[in-house]
Amino acid sequence: MRPPQAAPSGAAPRRRSGVPPLRAPLWALARGVLLLCAVSVVVFAATSLLPGDAAELRASPGATEEQIRALREELGQDAEPWRLYLSWVGGLLGGDPGTSLVNGRPVADAVAQRLPATATLVGGSLLLAAPAMLLLGGWAGSARRGRAVPTALLTGGAAVPTVVVAAGLAALLSGALGWVPAVSLLPPGRPPIQSPELLVLPVLSMALPTALFGGGLLAGAVADVVGRPHVADARRRGRPPWAVAAVDVLPFLMAPFARVLAVAAGGLIAAATVVETLFGYPGLGSLLVSSIASRDVPVVQTVALLAAAVVLAGLALADAVAGGTDPRRRTW
């Protein structure tokens, strides 16, 4: 039996086959759980600091302090904050986020009813914004006379408030051209995908700023890849520009692109709150706004925590995709 030969000097160490690298996924899972716990504390604290509560808003005019206290006790909001927090978290772990303080309906039912509408809105916006990000990032990052001006244009466009973008699109597409309705009131029980004309304004209002924002973030990564020796060598050998972009540049952009998409998804969830309210779209964003106005704390907490969980899950997925698509990190 021959002794094992030493690896040549400078060679990369071989990874043992059959032993899955579990440490990184487990650490990512633990980090996500800890972040979600921290977010739950922040969400609960923020809702607790809102002026007034559901009992004060529901009490009849001229109600005494004793009547308000009795109503608060009836709603189950008279306990210490830490007890309310533990009760809420315990219900979440058991699959019961609580009951609405306004209409007495289970919060899970209200969220499930609105979730498909918001998921359609965010998904459609991502489908439009994702390829636009790559095109804009490629344009800004590969500009021959420097990328300062293109990047500044993308950054300035992304800084325009969503309200302004939505109002401008509504004035153009609905007011001047009359192509789409000015509001997006879905018929009761009708899936959003069956009324595509009602999705045009909300989706475009969210997709355009997201594409500009993502393109600005990707411009630096594109400039870094375009300046690498293998890209210059491919150009010297006469490879067509589309082939250089697809074969020599795009694989190196998948890692930053995945992370930008995760960040963009979080921004879209936040933008949905504004857009849904402006266009009367019945999604989670409009539910969150109305619940804040009525101090329906269980609904506010559940929707906010759900949005945070989606963002954290997207970032974890982006890290996994980046690890598997970055040519510099592959081990196979």
Side-chain angles (χ1 to χ4, degrees):
M1 183 175 179
R2 293 183 301 174
Q5 297 180 353
S9 176
R14 296 181 179 179
R15 177 176 292 175
R16 296 181 181 179
S17 59
V19 181
L22 294 177
R23 181 175 299 178
L26 289 177
W27 166 244
L29 178 61
R31 181 180 57 186
V33 171
L34 290 175
L35 286 174
L36 195 59
C37 291
V39 169
S40 71
V41 175
V42 173
V43 167
F44 184 85
T47 54
S48 300
L49 294 176
L50 289 173
D53 58 14
E56 294 179 1
L57 294 178
R58 289 182 56 177
S60 58
T64 64
E65 186 63 30
E66 293 182 359
Q67 291 174 328
I68 295 176
R69 190 181 302 111
L71 182 56
R72 189 177 291 121
E73 182 178 354
E74 179 184 345
L75 295 175
Q77 299 296 303
D78 59 327
E80 295 86 349
W82 65 271
R83 291 185 184 275
L84 292 175
Y85 173 77
L86 292 180
S87 176
W88 173 56
V89 172
L92 286 176
L93 295 177
D96 180 15
T99 304
S100 170
L101 302 180
V102 174
N103 53 33
R105 291 181 55 195
V107 174
D109 292 348
V111 171
Q113 184 180 2
R114 300 288 192 104
L115 183 58
T118 297
T120 302
L121 200 60
V122 173
S125 301
L126 272 181
L127 285 177
L128 286 181
M133 286 180 193
L134 288 174
L135 293 176
L136 292 173
W139 165 68
S142 59
R144 295 185 178 275
R145 295 186 178 181
R147 58 185 179 91
V149 173
T151 302
L153 292 176
L154 294 179
T155 304
V160 177
T162 305
V163 176
V164 177
V165 176
L169 289 173
L172 175 63
L173 300 181
S174 180
L177 301 176
W179 289 350
V180 293
V183 294
S184 301
L185 294 174
L186 291 173
R190 186 171 185 177
I193 199 66
Q194 294 184 7
S195 303
E197 71 281 359
L198 300 180
L199 297 174
V200 173
L201 284 177
V203 167
L204 287 179
S205 300
M206 295 167 59
L208 289 178
T210 302
L212 295 172
F213 173 75
L217 291 180
L218 287 175
V222 172
D224 176 67
V225 175
V226 168
R228 297 192 174 192
H230 74 279
V231 176
D233 181 66
R235 289 172 172 171
R236 281 194 298 267
R237 287 187 282 110
R239 180 173 289 179
W242 65 266
V244 173
V247 177
D248 301 295
V249 176
L250 188 59
F252 289 86
L253 294 179
M254 288 298 98
F257 181 57
R259 294 189 174 95
V260 169
L261 278 182
V263 175
L268 285 173
I269 293 174
T273 303
V274 177
V275 171
E276 290 178 4
T277 304
L278 286 174
F279 294 112
Y281 187 82
L284 288 178
S286 57
L287 175 65
L288 178 63
V289 172
S290 62
S291 299
I292 292 176
S294 61
R295 300 299 186 267
D296 198 350
V297 174
V299 177
V300 175
Q301 293 170 343
T302 302
V303 174
L305 190 63
L306 177 62
V310 171
V311 174
L312 291 176
L315 290 174
L317 181 61
D319 287 340
V321 171
T325 58
D326 191 346
R328 295 165 294 184
R329 299 174 59 181
R330 290 177 182 169
T331 56
W332 39 269

